[in-house]
Amino acid sequence: METRLNESIRHWNLLDSEFYQAWSAGTLPIEALRDYAREYGAFIALIAKGWNGHGDSATAAMEREHAGLWSDFAAAFGTEVGSPRTDAVIRLRETADRLFDNGASSLGALYAFEAQQPATSRSKLKGLRDHYDVSAKAETYFEVHQNDDGEPRLLLDRIAALSPGEQRIAAEACETMCRSLRAALDELYKRHAVNLQ
């Protein structure tokens, strides 16, 4: 099962997205980071629901605190988390909201995000420090998550304890979430691609 989950992540790896590659290179316009902080934050605000979806209220409470750190990231770019306007980000939020309602699908959907978060956080943190003049508050969310390998391991253990049918639901949710996460980044990138010519 772990192999199947990780194959979905490998295929839709967020670090391969043009958005994150431009961020790492310092060529992503500030306006794109501002849009990302505002719109993607609507998805980040749902992470706590995903943990509640399979009964982990303690981690859900921690994730609500982390959503506050994301708000600090948005504030550093002169914006605040709001309702998404980009179609793919709207779909991401709708997808997460639906998948987080079920125990098995919440595990798979969360794994799609949490398993990638340490690597993406390290990449984004380095990109911010190397190329963007922002306050330290903009970095805190990514500092907290750059070495957080515990949550992906916990999710894998919980998925392994599911029945075979529930494991299939989790694997399908992981694939769906991977696609949706990548599509959101791709559309945000395309919106600002004209400024990268």
Side-chain angles (χ1 to χ4, degrees):
M1 178 53 57
E2 182 174 350
T3 299
R4 180 176 173 183
L5 296 167
N6 288 335
E7 177 59 24
S8 292
I9 290 172
R10 186 201 63 75
H11 188 75
W12 301 102
N13 193 315
L14 299 179
L15 285 178
D16 291 338
S17 70
E18 292 176 297
F19 191 96
Y20 283 171
Q21 289 184 6
W23 184 335
S24 294
T27 59
L28 194 66
I30 291 293
E31 295 77 16
L33 285 168
R34 187 175 295 119
D35 278 355
Y36 170 80
R38 181 181 62 250
E39 297 205 25
Y40 206 76
F43 162 71
I44 297 296
L46 281 177
I47 298 297
K49 179 181 178 179
W51 288 92
N52 272 328
H54 60 273
D56 189 338
S57 57
T59 304
M62 183 179 65
E63 293 295 349
R64 281 190 287 276
E65 293 177 12
H66 291 174
L69 298 178
W70 188 278
S71 294
D72 291 339
F73 166 62
F77 285 93
T79 191
E80 58 187 27
V81 175
S83 297
R85 294 177 291 197
T86 304
D87 288 344
V89 182
I90 293 169
R91 287 192 297 273
L92 168 62
R93 196 173 194 287
E94 291 171 348
T95 297
D97 197 38
R98 174 176 52 83
L99 293 175
F100 289 165
D101 269 339
N102 172 277
S105 64
S106 72
L107 288 167
L110 279 174
Y111 185 74
F113 175 71
E114 299 286 8
Q116 297 189 74
Q117 188 154 230
T120 60
S121 291
R122 287 190 295 272
S123 173
K124 289 183 278 190
L125 186 59
K126 185 175 188 311
L128 286 175
R129 290 174 173 169
D130 288 352
H131 305 294
Y132 299 94
D133 184 21
V134 292
S135 69
K137 276 196 163 185
E139 302 175 355
T140 306
Y141 178 92
F142 307 112
E143 286 175 338
V144 166
H145 292 94
Q146 65 178 330
N147 296 310
D148 186 7
D149 296 314
E151 288 182 357
R153 185 73 254 164
L154 180 62
L155 291 166
L156 281 175
D157 290 345
R158 290 175 179 173
I159 291 169
L162 297 173
S163 69
E166 290 174 323
Q167 286 184 357
R168 283 192 296 276
I169 291 170
E172 289 165 5
C174 179
E175 172 75 13
T176 298
M177 183 61 79
C178 283
R179 288 174 181 264
S180 195
L181 287 164
R182 182 63 179 271
L185 290 181
D186 290 347
E187 191 168 327
L188 283 168
Y189 179 82
K190 287 174 186 173
R191 176 190 292 178
H192 296 279
V194 67
N195 296 324
L196 299 172
Q197 301 300 321

